[in-house]
Amino acid sequence: MSQTQTLKKNGVDSGPKPPLEQVRNIGFIAHIDAGKTTVTERVLFYTGRIYKMGEVHDGTTVMDWMDQERERGITITAAAATTHWKDHTINIIDTPGHVDFTAEVERSLRVLDGGVVVFDAVAGVESQSETVWRQADKYSVPRICFVNKMDRVGADFYRTVDMIASRLNAKPVPVQLPLGSEGGFEGIIDLVENVAIIYPEDGPSEGIEVQIPEKYAETAARYRDSLIERVAETDDELVTKYLEGAEITVQEIKRGLRKATISNQLVPVLCGSALKNKGIQLMLDAVLDYLPSPLDVPPVKAVSNKTGEEVTREPSEQAPFAALAFKVVTDPYVGRLVYCRVYSGKIKSGATVYNSTQGYKERIGRLLEMHANHREEVEETSAGDIIAAIGLKNTYTGDTICDMHAPILLESISFPEPVISASVEPRSRGDQDRLTHALAKMADEDPTLKVYQDDDTGQTVIAGMGEMHLEVTVERIRREQGVDARMGKPQVAYRETITVAIRATGRLVKQTGGHGQFAHVVIEMEPLEPGQGFEFVDKIRGGDIPREFIPSVEKGVRGALTAGVLAGFPLVDLKVTLVDGNFHPVDSSDMAFQMAGAMALREGAKKGKPVLLEPVMNLEIITPGEFLGDILGDVTARRGHIKGFEGRGDIQTVKAFVPLSECFGYATQIRSLSQGRATHSMEFSHYEPAPEKVVEQTVVKGR
């Protein structure tokens, strides 16, 4: 939108679009069940975007709009909404907390300027909290913390702040303190303004400002002094005033804390109870006060398509247009939607843009401002906006769209590889084509979902991040695409690698009536550290193999990596060096060297003492103490390795590494062991060599 374009709020003109310094692009991120969606729902209500608050437990929230999200009570797909607060525009993305949908968090954080990390005041920092925090660190996203559920039994604000410091290696600085907790949680102490806000049952939703009660005065004074000291430490001007004993004003505290937050030196911590409507407006004020506008973050870096040199794009309407596609959705009413973050320039609906990733010209049909699954059409979009575009047929997640006359390539988005797979087939033969089409749509939307044909069985296989990921995918195919499909038993995505360095030869000699086929390559193979993938090095000197055939050798080697020699699983974590070879001036060809490269790799894989690698999951269990013994015994029986456990009252938190192959059906088992009172979360950690028994079973299956 241009600076003069009129904003619409709920279909009503709400004045000109604010300047960029009054725009916030934020995401709500957290562990599952910390209350992100409830917080977002309250934000939309108090900013006037919706007129009735929905509840997750009732399945009536706006942001969890998919049927499955409402039935399961979890967020599955990141939903976007645009709202307004105190003359500012806030673009919000509510992300999933379940680890199977971590890609939604990854791509959201890639395009956001700031984040609100929501914590459960009872549980504190949980496993997925650590994961999303690392993802935010990866993209240097400034963030504030909101300690939610202060009204629940067992809520402990101070313990949660300590956990943020110890478990996340962060520098939290409370800017609010709770007035009471659990059933006695009645309000919030604002340490910056040095006042208290109480929320009487029949009082206004924004609370009533009062003096800090006497019994909290000493604690509040101590924490306020600490806040001022820590903010002053990050600012040369303020530290001088602080050391001289001069008074530091509220505005100076806010300015210094904003600067420290944006530079990721400090993390402001707030508190409240979204369900009881306490602290939401103050949290919105903190978003405006401390989180960055598009102008506060460094200009986005890119690579020029013309020169290959690094360039930057200022967040300005006058700069050439550049945007990153971060999400693709197939909408049943308007078709294929591509969500984009606009980093520079402006563009109108109907304009032609250049997809510099794919090398295509694309035409933007319509531009939509999204509000979960509702939408408002706009004529123009500009730097700082998060928008959805219709008409981009060849644009996928991570692609750059830009001005045709100033083509650049923005950094794409990286996603984890799938760790679990399952066959999927239609219940009737006639649905096969529809299933193929439906799966192609789902894979288009979800970069962590892979779809392929198993050459040995002829089955269609889907691979993803976990059991729930696959179940949700098949259920969406049934509901959204109308294809009655069934899923086979999930299978583990094993890998293979070599353990010793070896030398191998690939030699292809075929003589026919005309031209023959000749290629001879010698490679050296060596194992790499876990997680390093694959590396190809060319050390051919003196023309033993012509330069034009080197890429062919690499292509053949890479092609052979897809099927190892033990059980046909992909080969990973190895380095291949091309050291020698030979060619024939007439009979050598690209195809011959591809085949010779593949033959050399297969021979080397056999000689390199190959091992089977199995995915190991990071498992965290929270259980009442009475069930701890049974749960630890069960984890050990699943070949689990207990990393440790910590207690808080009667609640025990267990951390363990468990092979994925032993985790199927674990949700049912843990419910049975704990009478439904224990909870768990699981995420992929690493690959490690599988024991001999597993290798024997898997090799037999693989063959």
Side-chain angles (χ1 to χ4, degrees), residues 303 305 313 320-324 344 347 352-357 360-362 364 399-410:
V303 175
N305 283 49
R313 282 284 187 268
F321 172 73
L324 183 75
S344 62
I347 203 80
T352 300
V353 294
Y354 180 63
N355 182 327
S356 58
T357 308
Y360 288 110
K361 287 182 183 178
E362 294 262 59
I364 295 176
D399 285 3
T400 301
I401 56 172
C402 55
D403 187 317
M404 286 187 293
H405 304 295
I408 60 167
L409 205 55
L410 295 164

Side-chain angles (χ1 to χ4, degrees), residues 265 354 438 544 590:
Q265 291 175 277
Y354 180 63
D544 292 331
D590 285 341

Side-chain angles (χ1 to χ4, degrees), residues 535-604:
E535 185 182 342
F536 182 85
V537 178
D538 167 29
K539 280 196 176 176
I540 291 293
R541 299 290 179 267
D544 292 331
I545 299 176
R547 304 308 306 165
E548 64 266 25
F549 292 138
I550 304 295
S552 304
V553 177
E554 182 177 356
K555 188 175 179 181
V557 167
R558 286 185 180 274
L561 291 172
T562 57
V565 295
L566 279 177
F569 292 106
L571 281 155
V572 295
D573 300 334
L574 67 135
K575 176 181 177 181
V576 171
T577 305
L578 180 60
V579 294
D580 201 0
N582 207 344
F583 75 104
H584 188 280
V586 177
D587 292 346
S588 289
S589 65
D590 285 341
M591 185 54 68
F593 274 99
Q594 276 187 49
M595 293 173 70
M599 291 162 66
L601 186 93
R602 282 193 287 270
E603 182 196 328

Side-chain angles (χ1 to χ4, degrees), residues 422-444 449-453 458-462 470 472-488:
S423 61
V424 59
E425 56 188 37
R427 290 192 182 273
S428 65
R429 283 183 179 275
D431 275 346
Q432 183 61 55
D433 288 343
R434 292 178 62 215
L435 175 63
T436 303
H437 181 65
L439 286 172
K441 275 188 179 179
M442 298 295 291
D444 186 22
L449 181 72
K450 307 294 182 191
V451 182
Y452 60 93
Q453 291 291 128
Q459 290 178 309
T460 301
V461 176
I462 55 174
L470 301 186
V472 165
T473 298
V474 174
E475 190 63 28
R476 285 186 65 191
I477 288 169
R478 288 196 196 108
R479 295 187 186 195
E480 297 171 23
Q481 311 291 335
V483 180
D484 192 6
R486 59 187 172 195
M487 188 174 80

